[in-house]
Amino acid sequence: MLAMSSEALVVPSAPENTPTCRPLRLGVLASGSGSNFAALAEAIAAGELAAQIQVLIYNNPDAFVAERAKQWQIPSVLLNHRHYPNRESLDAAIVETLKAHEVEWVVMAGWMRIVTPVLLNAYPQRVINLHPSLLPSFRGLRAVEQALAAGVKITGCTVHLVEEEVDSGPILVQAAVPVLPDDTPQTLHARIQVQEHRILKQAIADIAARQAQRS
Ligand code: GAR
C-alpha cells in the first residue's frame, strides 16, 4: 500500500533527470497571477531546469503575470481574446507569436481559455496543461470548488498533454493533496498550488531529459 504524508503524494515521474545539451525553448500561456510562471522562471534562473522561457503570452490586460515577466526580463505579449472574433483566430495569433519566438513546447500555466486544433496542430503532442484536480476528476472551471462540493478526501493537481477535449490527454505527473475538514476553496487551492509549482517543473524536467536522450 502507498503511504501518504500530510503534505502530498507525487505520482509518478521519470526515474532520473539527466542534464540536457540544449535548453528546452518554452512558450508560457497564462491568464492570471502567474505563480506557476514564477516558479518556472525561478527554477530556470537557479539552474535547476534545462529550459528557457522564450515568451509569455497573456490574455487579460491587468494579469499580474505580466509584472512577473517584467521582473524576470522575459518578453511578454498581450493577446486579448476579446479582440478576436473566435477561438481559432486567437489561437492563430498565439501560434504566430510562439513561432516568432522559436518556441518548441507550449506550457498552459493557468491559461483559462479553451484551445483549438489551430494551436494543437501547430504543436502536436507539445502542449502541456496544468489543472488543479486529479484528472479525470473535476474537469473544467472551479475544479477546487467541485472537489469540495463532492466531499472527496483527497484531491490534487495534474500536468497533462493537451488534446482537443477540455482537460483531457495523457497524464504526465500528478500530486495528491489531502482535503482538510475546515478547508475553504482558498486554503485548499493554496496547498494545491504548492504542489503545482513542483509538478510543473518536474514535468518539464522529464520532457527535457527525454529530449536530451533523443539528441
Ligand atoms: C492554477 O491553480 C492552475 O491549476 C489553474 O489556474 C491557476 C493559476 O495560478 N488552472 C486552471 O484552472 C486551468 N483549468 P497561477 O496564475 O498562480 O499560476
Side-chain angles (χ1 to χ4, degrees), residues 32-37 109-112 130-132 140 167 189 193 196:
S33 151
S35 70
N36 283 284
F37 170 85
W111 181 245
M112 305 306 281
L130 174 65
H131 186 73
D167 296 327
H189 199 180
Q193 283 206 311
E196 287 186 339

Side-chain angles (χ1 to χ4, degrees), residues 27-210:
V28 177
L29 309 186
S31 298
S33 151
S35 70
N36 283 284
F37 170 85
L40 287 185
E42 259 174 56
I44 290 167
E48 291 165 10
L49 206 50
Q52 161 174 323
I53 303 176
Q54 303 288 108
V55 64
L56 163 75
I57 296 174
Y58 63 107
N59 63 312
N60 289 318
D62 50 5
F64 186 65
V65 69
E67 293 305 313
R68 300 196 198 254
K70 259 188 223 143
Q71 185 191 329
W72 288 99
Q73 298 182 318
I74 293 170
S76 66
V77 176
L78 169 64
L79 296 177
N80 188 334
H81 61 277
R82 298 161 191 89
H83 298 164
Y84 294 85
N86 50 42
R87 295 187 195 283
E88 285 76 12
S89 57
L90 172 66
D91 280 3
I94 291 173
V95 169
E96 194 182 326
T97 306
L98 294 171
K99 296 284 182 194
H101 288 83
E102 301 187 325
V103 166
E104 300 172 286
W105 278 82
V106 184
V107 180
M108 292 165 49
W111 181 245
M112 305 306 281
R113 307 293 308 165
I114 292 173
V115 297
T116 70
V118 173
L119 173 62
L120 300 179
N121 293 341
Y123 284 91
Q125 301 294 305
R126 282 179 174 238
V127 182
I128 67 174
N129 181 44
L130 174 65
H131 186 73
S133 77
L134 289 175
L135 290 174
S137 292
F138 312 127
R139 290 176 168 155
L141 291 176
R142 304 176 77 80
V144 179
E145 286 86 343
Q146 289 185 55
L148 281 174
V152 294
K153 300 301 178 205
I154 298 171
T155 184
C157 46
T158 303
V159 179
H160 64 98
L161 284 175
V162 177
E163 289 182 348
E164 203 181 332
E165 193 187 336
V166 172
D167 296 327
S168 72
I171 289 170
L172 301 178
V173 192
Q174 289 185 307
V177 176
V179 180
L180 304 180
D182 54 354
D183 260 334
T184 63
Q186 291 70 31
T187 59
L188 181 54
H189 199 180
R191 288 203 315 290
I192 290 173
Q193 283 206 311
V194 172
Q195 300 309 320
E196 287 186 339
H197 300 164
R198 192 151 61 89
I199 67 168
L200 186 58
K201 289 186 278 186
Q202 192 179 316
I204 292 168
D206 292 347
I207 291 167
R210 278 198 296 275

